[in-house]
C-alpha cells in the first residue's frame, strides 16, 4: 500500500515514521521546505516525493497542514487522486476543512474524511517527530455519512499500523465543540498562567502541578492563532465559563468566606470524580 503525506512537521513526519516502522508500506511525502523532503528521504522516512506524477499511486493521503493550506492542497491535488484513494486531513478544527473537503471529493470522485490525531508535544517540526507518537492515542474521524460502516472499517484498517488505540467517529460540529474544551482552552489557560511575573522566580518552588499546567504554554503561535479563530465561537464560550468560575474563587478570597471556598473546591472535586468514573 502506498501512503502519501503532505506536511512533514511533527504530525506528518511522525505518521510517515509510523508507517515505515510498520513495514511493507511505500511512503511518499510533500513539504513546502524541500530540504525537509531531502532529509526525510536520506533518513529513510520517505521513499520519494509526493509529486503530481505519483499522487495517483496513493491508496491513502494524509494532509497534515494548517486548515487554509490543507484546503488549497486538496484543491491542487484533486485532479490526480485516483477514485479508490481515501484522503484524510489532520487539521485541529473540522467545520471549514470538512465542508470544503467533502465538496472537493464529490466533484472529483474520490473519498474524503476529516481527521484529527489526538497526540502531540509542545514542540513542532520534523526533528521532534517520532514513530511512536500515536501509540495508544485516539484518532477522530469525520465521515461524510455518519452511518457509513464500510468506510469506517476501511479507514480503521488503513490507520491501524500507526498505533492508534481508538477511532472516534463524530461530526465536524461536535468535534469543534469538544476540542475547544479539551485542547484549545488548556493552551489558552497555560499561556495566560505563565505570564505572571512570579513565574520568573519560580525555580526551587515548583513541582508536578506547575509542570503539568505550563507544558503547553510553549506553543506554535501561528498554528494556534489559526485554530482559535477557526473555532472562536466554541472557544469564547469555554473562556467565558472559566472566567466566571475564577471570579467565584476570587470573590470568596476577597470576602474572607472560607465556607464558600470549601463549597467551590468541593464542587470541583466532585466534578472531577464524575468525569473520571465515566
Amino acid at each position: 500500500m502506498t501512503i502519501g503525506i503532505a506536511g512533514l512537521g511533527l504530525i506528518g513526519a511522525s505518521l510517515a515514521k509510523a508507517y515505515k516502522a510498520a513495514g511493507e508500506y511505500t511512503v511518499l511525502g510533500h513539504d513546502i521546505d524541500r530540504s525537509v523532503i531531502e532529509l526525510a528521504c536520506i533518513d529513510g522516512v520517505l521513499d520519494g516525493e509526493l509529486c503530481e506524477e505519483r499522487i495517483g499511486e496513493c491508496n491513502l493521503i494524509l494532509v497534515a497542514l494548517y486548515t487554509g493550506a490543507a484546503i488549497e492542497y486538496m484543491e491542487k491535488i484533486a485532479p490526480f487522486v485516483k477514485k479508490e484513494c481515501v484522503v484524510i486531513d489532520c487539521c485541529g478544527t473540522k467545520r471549514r476543512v470538512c465542508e470544503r473537503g467533502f465538496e472537493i471529493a464529490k466533484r472529483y470522485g474520490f473519498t474524503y474524511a476529516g481527521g484529527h490525531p489526538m497526540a502531540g508535544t509542545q514542540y513542532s517540526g520534523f526533528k521532534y517527530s517520532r514513530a511512536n507518537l500515536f501509540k495508544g492515542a485516539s484518532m477522530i474521524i469525520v465521515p461524510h455519512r455518519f452511518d457509513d460502516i464500510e468506510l469506517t472499517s476501511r479507514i480503521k484498517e488503513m490507520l491501524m499500523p500507526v498505533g492508534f488505540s481508538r477511532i472516534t467517529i463524530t461530526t465536524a460540529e461536535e468535534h469543534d465543540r469538544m476540542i475547544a474544551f479539551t485542547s484549545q482552552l488548556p493552551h489558552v489557560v497555560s499561556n495566560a498562567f505563565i505570564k505572571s511575573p512570579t513565574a520568573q522566580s519560580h525555580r526551587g518552588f515548583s513541582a508536578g502541578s506547575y509542570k503539568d499546567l505550563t507544558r503547553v504554554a510553549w506553543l506554535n503561535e501561528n498554528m494556534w492563532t489559526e485554530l482559535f479563530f477557526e473555532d472562536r465561537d466554541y472557544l469564547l464560550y469555554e473562556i467565558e465559563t472559566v472566567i466566571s468560575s475564577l471570579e467565584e474563587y476570587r470573590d470568596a478570597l476577597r470576602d474572607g468566606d472560607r465556607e464558600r471556598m470549601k463549597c467551590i473546591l468541593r464542587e470541583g472535586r466532585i466534578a472531577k470524580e464524575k468525569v473520571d468514573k465515566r
Side-chain angles (χ1 to χ4, degrees):
M1 185 160 69
T2 299
I3 311 295
I5 298 176
L8 298 174
L10 174 70
I11 299 301
S14 293
L15 288 166
K17 289 180 178 180
Y19 277 107
K20 290 305 294 182
E24 299 182 5
Y25 291 92
T26 298
V27 181
L28 306 176
H30 163 79
D31 195 273
I32 194 170
D33 187 344
R34 289 203 57 81
S35 66
V36 174
I37 299 175
E38 293 168 3
L39 176 60
C41 288
I42 292 171
D43 285 352
V45 177
L46 296 181
D47 297 297
E49 183 178 356
L50 182 62
C51 53
E52 290 182 357
E53 292 75 20
R54 302 198 68 179
I55 286 171
E57 300 175 23
C58 296
N59 306 97
L60 171 66
I61 297 176
L62 298 165
V63 183
L65 301 169
Y66 293 1
T67 301
I71 293 170
E72 289 180 11
Y73 183 76
M74 287 191 290
E75 282 277 13
K76 180 180 178 181
I77 68 168
F80 309 99
V81 177
K82 64 182 179 182
K83 288 180 170 46
E84 298 79 15
C85 181
V86 176
V87 177
I88 302 174
D89 79 88
C90 299
C91 299
T93 56
K94 297 267 69 83
R95 282 175 288 178
R96 183 161 74 103
V97 72
C98 283
E99 181 181 6
R100 293 294 301 280
F102 292 137
E103 187 275 321
I104 295 167
K106 181 179 180 180
R107 192 183 342 139
Y108 287 92
F110 61 84
T111 300
Y112 161 81
H116 187 182
M118 298 305 296
T121 72
Q122 65 268 44
Y123 307 110
S124 59
F126 180 87
K127 70 177 180 178
Y128 295 108
S129 62
R130 62 178 192 268
N132 65 351
L133 181 65
F134 307 104
K135 188 173 182 180
S138 174
M139 176 65 165
I140 300 174
I141 294 294
V142 179
H144 188 252
R145 281 188 17 244
F146 197 80
D147 60 348
D148 193 337
I149 305 301
E150 183 179 346
L151 175 60
T152 300
S153 298
R154 186 179 170 199
I155 289 174
K156 284 182 178 180
E157 185 178 352
M158 286 180 155
L159 295 175
M160 190 179 300
V162 175
F164 294 111
S165 63
R166 179 177 180 178
I167 303 294
T168 300
I169 306 300
T170 189
T171 63
E173 190 82 23
E174 180 65 6
H175 169 278
D176 287 1
R177 183 180 74 84
M178 290 302 299
I179 222 70
F181 172 73
T182 62
S183 178
Q184 294 168 3
L185 181 64
H187 281 78
V188 170
V189 172
S190 180
N191 198 260
F193 174 83
I194 201 64
K195 292 175 184 175
S196 168
T198 312
Q200 300 305 315
S201 54
H202 79 89
R203 295 189 186 281
F205 296 88
S206 55
S209 55
Y210 170 85
K211 293 177 181 177
D212 290 344
L213 186 53
T214 59
R215 181 180 67 83
V216 294
W218 195 335
L219 47 69
N220 179 333
E221 61 270 18
N222 296 315
M223 180 183 76
W224 285 100
T225 295
E226 179 165 341
L227 291 172
F228 290 167
F229 277 85
E230 286 279 337
D231 212 16
R232 64 181 298 183
D233 50 350
Y234 287 127
L235 181 55
L236 276 170
Y237 168 79
E238 297 298 343
I239 290 174
E240 288 165 358
T241 299
V242 168
I243 289 173
S244 178
S245 293
L246 287 173
E247 287 175 344
E248 291 188 46
Y249 296 93
R250 181 202 61 195
D251 292 349
L253 282 170
R254 182 191 58 201
D255 299 340
D257 192 339
R258 290 175 178 266
E259 289 305 313
R260 180 57 185 151
M261 180 62 76
K262 286 181 185 179
C263 181
I264 296 168
L265 293 172
R266 186 183 304 114
E267 289 170 354
R269 173 177 56 78
I270 292 171
K272 173 62 173 170
E273 288 173 357
K274 287 181 178 178
V275 169
D276 287 352
K277 286 177 181 177
R278 288 185 178 179

